[in-house]
Amino acid sequence: MAEVVSQPEYGADNIQVLKGLEAVRKRPAMYIGDTSAQGLHHLIWEVVSNSVDEALEGYCDRMDVTINVDGSLTVADNGRGIPVDLHPTENRPALEVVMTVLHAGGKFDKKTYAVSGGLHGVGVSVMNALSTWCEVEVCSSLPDKRGRVFRQRYERGVPTGEMEETGRREEPGTTTTFMPDRAVFESIEFHLDTVVNRMRELAFLNSGLRISLTDARVGFQETFHFDGGINAFVAYLDEGRTPLHPPVYFEGIRDGTGVEISFEYNDSYSENIYSFANNVHTKEGGTHETGFRTALTRTLNAYGARNNLFKSEKVSLSGEDAREGLTAVISTKVPEPQFEGQTKTKLGNSEVKGIVESLVGEKLAAYFEENPAVAKKILQKAIEASRAREAARKARELVRRKSVLEGGGLPGKLLDCTLNDKDETEIYLVEGDSAGGSAAQGRDRAFQAVLPLWGKLLNVEKARIDKVLSNEKLQPMILALGAGVGDDFDVEKLRYGKVIIMADADVDGSHIRSLLLTFFFRYMRPMITDGKVYIAQPPLFLIKKGRKQQYAFDESERDAILQTMGEEANGVMVQRYKGLGEMNPEQLWETTLNPDTRTLLNLTQSDVMEAERAFTMMMGDEVGPRRKYVETHALEADVDVSGPG
C-alpha cells in the first residue's frame, strides 16, 4: 500500500494581498529590470523623464541633477510642478497620489502631455518605493497656489507625515531627492560616467533644455546644452572620423507622430544607428529604426539605378552595404508608444515603421536630387562595400574549405585543453612565443588552452571584413575560438567559457590589448556583451628575501610591501618583470593562471555609444581627438617610464 503523503493546506489565508507599493518592493525587477547598477540608475531616469516631458511640452528649460555627498540624488526643474491640490477621488493631495500609487500620473489623457516617455504611470512611485527615503518639494503653478512651496517626505514609499507648506518663491518647479535602498540594490553608488552620458544624450535630443550635472562627491560640475540638436549629436558621435559630407537632416509630422533624423557617412567601415522614442533610448531598435533602414536601402538602390551609377556591374545594394560608414540619430515622438517592458528597449508600434519609411523615402529622394555630389559619394562608398562583401564571401568560402571557421582543424600553435564542457574551459591569448611556452607548461591542461600570438595584429578599425578574413595573424584566433567572425559570429559556438588576454605590462602589451579589444568589439561584439572577455593581471614585481617571496602588481603595492618589512628590507631582492617570458611556469601559474590566486578583469559594455566613440578615437586615423583626449586625461594615467635595470 502506497504511503499517503500529507499535503500542506491551501486556503484563503494563503492568498497574500500586497497593498500600495509593497508589490514593487517584493518584486523590484518587474519594474526596473534588475537590482544591479542598471536598475539603480533606472531610478534616476524615471525622475528625469518627468522633467524632460515638461520640457517637451514647453514648460521647462532647465534641469539640475546633483549627486549629493551622502550618495542621495536630487533632480530639480523649473516646470509646472507636480499638482498639490486635492485629488477628486483619492481625497488627498495629488502629489501624494503620484508618489505612492502605481499607475497614477498625468500622461494618460493626452491633454497634459501630448507625448511622453513614461506612459505607465509607475516611474516616480517605483523610485519612491525602492528608496530608503525620498523628499519632494513643489513650487506650484496653480492659479490659487502660485509661488507657494509644498513639501512631503516618504520612507520606503510611505509618507512620514502630511504634505506641508514651507514658504514661497518666484519660479515654479519640482525638486526630488531620494536615497536608494541598500536592502534592495547590490550597490547604491551612482556611477558618474553613466549619468553624464545620459544627461548629454538628453541635451542633444532636446535642444531647448539646459541640463546642469553636479557630483558633490568629487567636485564635478558640467552643463549640457546643444543648440544644434541631433545634428550636433551626430557630429559628437563621429568625432575621430572623417565625414564624407555635411549632416543630412530632415523632420516631419505624420498622423500625430513626429520624426527627426540626422545622419552622415564617414570613412569608417562600421555602422552606428542610435534610435530614440520620446527621448527613451531604444537600444534594441524597433519599428522606427526598421523603417529608416528599409527606406535608406531602397532609395540608394533606386537612385543608383536611375542615374546609372552602378554602370555595368550587377549591383543590388544590401542593407549592410547601404549602411557602411553611416552614423545616424533617429528621434521619434509617438503619442501612444508601445515599448517592450517597463525598461523600454524596443519600440513596437507597427504604424511607426510606415510613417518613418515613407517620410525618409520622400525626403531622402528629394535631397539626393538637390545634392547629386553627396549622393554620388554615398553610392560610391556603398558600391565599394558591396564589392568587399563579395570578396569576403569568397574569403569565407575559402577558409571554410580549409576548416578555419568550421572547427574541422585547429591552428598548429594552439595548445588545447582536454575538457569538453566549454563553460568550464578558458583560453589564454598570450603575447609572444616565450610567454606562450611558460603558460603552456604552467597551465592546467584539463581546462586551460593557450594560443601564442606573434607580432602586431591588424588594426581592424581601418580594415573591412575581407581584409580581416585574409589576415594570417587573425585567422588562427578565429579558428581557435570557433564561433565565426563578423555577421557569421555566433557566441553560442564559442569553444571556451572565458577568453583571457595575457600581455606584458608595458606599452607594447597595452597596444596588443587595444588591438585585440578593437577586433572583438568590431567583429565579435557578443563576446564582450556576454561578459566572456577577460584581461589577465600579471604582477610587475617579485619581492624576495630568502625563501619568502611576494608579488606586487604596481609600484605603489611594491612600496607598501617594502614599507611593511621595515628594517628587514635590507637584503631584499626586487625583480621587475620586463615581460611574461621572464616568469617560469611555476610563477606564472601562481600569479596569473591559478583561479584561486589570480586576478582577472572582466570586460563589460554598459554604454555602446561611448564604447563606440572610444574605439574610434583611440584606434582611428584622426589624430586631433586622440591628442585632446590624452592631454585631458594624462594626469589620470599610471605610466611606467623606468628603463631597464
Side-chain angles (χ1 to χ4, degrees):
M1 182 176 177
E3 181 182 353
V4 177
V5 180
S6 62
Q7 299 292 328
E9 291 186 8
Y10 179 51
D13 58 347
N14 296 111
I15 304 300
Q16 186 178 8
V17 179
L18 301 177
K19 297 180 180 179
L21 299 177
E22 290 179 70
V24 180
R25 293 189 60 81
K26 190 78 172 176
R27 298 284 186 270
M30 289 179 60
Y31 299 89
I32 59 171
D34 58 42
T35 56
S36 67
Q38 181 176 329
L40 173 71
H41 289 82
H42 193 77
L43 301 188
I44 308 176
W45 314 152
E46 291 290 9
V47 181
V48 162
S49 69
N50 288 347
S51 300
V52 174
D53 289 340
E54 283 287 286
L56 285 173
E57 296 298 316
Y59 296 107
C60 168
D61 62 8
R62 194 192 76 243
M63 177 170 62
D64 301 320
V65 179
T66 304
I67 305 176
N68 301 304
V69 174
D70 64 356
S72 64
L73 186 132
T74 300
V75 179
D77 66 45
N78 63 344
R80 288 170 289 183
I82 299 174
V84 292
D85 50 337
L86 202 65
H87 192 274
T89 59
E90 292 284 329
N91 199 34
R92 50 183 172 149
L95 169 62
E96 185 175 318
V97 175
V98 167
M99 297 301 298
T100 61
V101 179
L102 286 175
H103 308 291
K107 300 172 185 177
F108 299 106
D109 61 4
K110 293 295 138 201
K111 296 177 182 178
T112 309
Y113 296 96
V115 295
S116 165
L119 296 197
H120 301 158
V122 301
V124 290
S125 57
V126 166
M127 173 279 296
N128 194 18
L130 301 179
S131 296
T132 306
W133 56 265
C134 172
E135 292 183 356
V136 182
E137 184 178 271
V138 176
C139 182
S140 180
S141 62
L142 294 171
D144 62 331
K145 293 181 173 62
R146 194 181 306 276
R148 295 163 63 186
V149 178
F150 298 85
R151 177 183 171 278
Q152 191 167 31
R153 180 182 172 93
Y154 315 86
E155 292 182 1
R156 294 183 169 86
V158 179
T160 59
E162 301 291 328
M163 183 185 75
E164 57 184 5
E165 186 170 350
T166 60
R168 300 184 68 87
R169 72 166 190 245
E170 289 287 323
E171 191 176 47
T174 302
T175 299
T176 304
T177 303
F178 67 95
M179 175 69 81
D181 194 339
R182 197 179 299 275
V184 173
F185 296 97
E186 297 169 12
S187 167
I188 62 169
E189 182 177 352
F190 294 117
H191 300 163
L192 178 58
D193 286 348
T194 302
V195 184
V196 165
N197 294 338
R198 179 58 176 155
M199 295 307 106
R200 182 190 293 116
E201 191 177 89
L202 288 171
F204 277 127
L205 294 168
N206 301 274
S207 58
L209 181 61
R210 184 178 299 273
I211 303 175
S212 174
L213 174 61
T214 302
D215 188 342
R217 301 171 304 181
V218 296
F220 172 90
Q221 202 284 321
E222 189 168 350
T223 298
F224 303 101
H225 177 72
F226 305 101
D227 291 325
I230 63 171
N231 274 347
F233 200 171
V234 168
Y236 171 79
L237 293 170
D238 258 0
E239 191 174 320
R241 299 186 176 106
T242 302
L244 302 184
H245 59 87
V248 178
Y249 173 86
F250 39 77
E251 61 181 340
I253 300 177
R254 297 201 175 167
D255 299 330
T257 294
V259 180
E260 189 181 12
I261 292 173
S262 176
F263 71 85
E264 69 183 16
Y265 284 82
N266 55 64
D267 61 348
S268 78
Y269 306 117
S270 58
E271 162 198 339
N272 298 293
I273 298 178
Y274 300 99
S275 59
F276 301 84
N278 299 5
N279 286 305
V280 175
H281 185 189
T282 43
K283 296 178 182 179
E284 296 182 55
T287 52
H288 51 343
E289 196 169 311
T290 302
F292 172 76
R293 291 169 183 264
T294 303
L296 180 67
T297 306
R298 187 180 63 235
T299 306
L300 282 172
N301 273 309
Y303 185 87
R306 190 167 60 250
N307 291 276
N308 197 32
L309 295 178
F310 299 137
K311 298 179 181 177
S312 60
E313 296 182 69
K314 294 180 180 179
V315 173
S316 177
L317 300 174
S318 70
E320 290 81 4
D321 302 331
R323 297 190 299 272
E324 183 187 272
L326 171 70
T327 296
V329 173
I330 305 164
S331 180
T332 56
K333 301 296 190 297
V334 185
E336 295 285 352
Q338 299 166 13
F339 294 109
E340 289 192 0
Q342 165 63 11
T343 51
K344 315 178 186 83
T345 56
K346 189 173 185 179
L347 185 67
N349 298 62
S350 58
E351 74 280 5
V352 174
K353 177 183 181 295
I355 291 171
V356 174
E357 190 175 332
S358 62
L359 189 145
V360 171
E362 293 170 15
K363 299 265 189 181
L364 188 56
Y367 177 87
F368 281 170
E369 293 299 330
E370 295 171 7
N371 300 271
V374 173
K376 188 175 181 180
K377 279 186 179 180
I378 294 172
L379 260 297
Q380 285 175 339
K381 182 167 181 64
I383 291 169
E384 289 173 6
S386 178
R387 293 172 184 154
R389 179 168 54 87
E390 178 62 19
R393 183 186 65 78
K394 293 177 180 177
R396 280 191 177 96
E397 289 177 357
L398 178 63
V399 293
R400 280 187 181 123
R401 283 197 296 272
K402 294 179 179 179
S403 299
V404 168
L405 293 180
E406 298 297 341
L410 292 171
K413 290 200 172 192
L414 173 68
L415 298 153
D416 211 356
C417 51
T418 58
L419 278 179
N420 292 323
D421 185 352
K422 65 180 183 180
D423 292 333
E424 299 298 322
T425 64
E426 53 194 40
I427 182 170
Y428 277 83
L429 306 176
V430 184
E431 174 192 359
D433 284 337
S434 60
S438 292
Q441 294 178 55
R443 68 183 173 131
D444 184 326
R445 289 172 171 77
F447 70 96
Q448 291 178 321
V450 173
L451 178 66
L453 307 175
W454 74 99
K456 286 292 172 67
L457 300 171
L458 176 70
N459 182 0
V460 300
E461 190 68 22
K462 306 172 184 178
R464 281 193 174 100
I465 182 64
D466 54 325
K467 300 295 183 186
V468 171
L469 284 165
S470 60
N471 185 267
E472 62 178 11
K473 292 178 181 174
L474 290 175
Q475 275 191 7
M477 185 164 50
I478 296 170
L479 166 59
L481 296 179
V485 63
D487 294 337
D488 285 347
F489 184 78
D490 183 354
V491 73
E492 295 300 321
K493 294 181 180 178
L494 193 63
R495 297 182 64 244
Y496 307 94
K498 289 186 176 73
V499 178
I500 304 169
I501 301 170
M502 187 162 74
D504 292 342
D506 59 11
V507 174
D508 285 340
S510 295
H511 192 202
I512 287 172
R513 281 192 292 272
S514 299
L515 291 167
L516 279 170
L517 292 176
T518 305
F519 172 64
F520 292 153
F521 184 76
R522 292 295 180 209
Y523 292 104
M524 297 181 172
R525 191 174 299 187
M527 216 160 64
I528 295 178
T529 54
D530 284 12
K532 296 189 178 296
V533 179
Y534 296 77
I535 296 179
Q537 298 292 288
L540 196 57
F541 298 98
L542 168 63
I543 303 166
K544 190 173 182 181
K545 182 174 183 180
R547 295 184 178 181
K548 183 180 179 182
Q549 60 183 33
Q550 292 177 269
Y551 297 95
F553 291 85
D554 53 36
E555 285 83 355
S556 60
E557 189 173 358
R558 174 201 61 191
D559 295 341
I561 292 172
L562 291 174
Q563 190 171 10
T564 60
M565 292 182 172
E567 295 179 359
E568 297 178 10
N570 293 325
V572 171
M573 185 274 288
V574 178
Q575 177 186 356
R576 184 190 187 282
Y577 292 116
K578 298 183 180 68
L580 293 165
E582 291 191 357
M583 289 189 192
N584 61 44
E586 292 76 18
Q587 291 172 329
L588 205 55
W589 166 257
E590 183 181 352
T591 62
T592 317
L593 297 170
N594 185 351
D596 295 331
T597 55
R598 73 187 179 188
T599 299
L600 295 180
L601 296 182
N602 186 201
L603 293 182
T604 57
Q605 179 187 295
S606 59
D607 192 316
V608 176
M609 194 180 300
E610 288 306 308
E612 180 71 46
R613 290 188 73 249
F615 279 108
T616 298
M617 187 182 304
M618 303 310 293
M619 306 304 291
D621 285 323
E622 291 294 311
V623 176
R626 184 157 54 245
R627 180 186 294 118
K628 180 182 176 183
Y629 179 88
V630 171
E631 289 172 349
T632 302
H633 297 279
L635 295 178
E636 302 169 17
D638 181 13
V639 181
D640 175 29
V641 294
S642 61

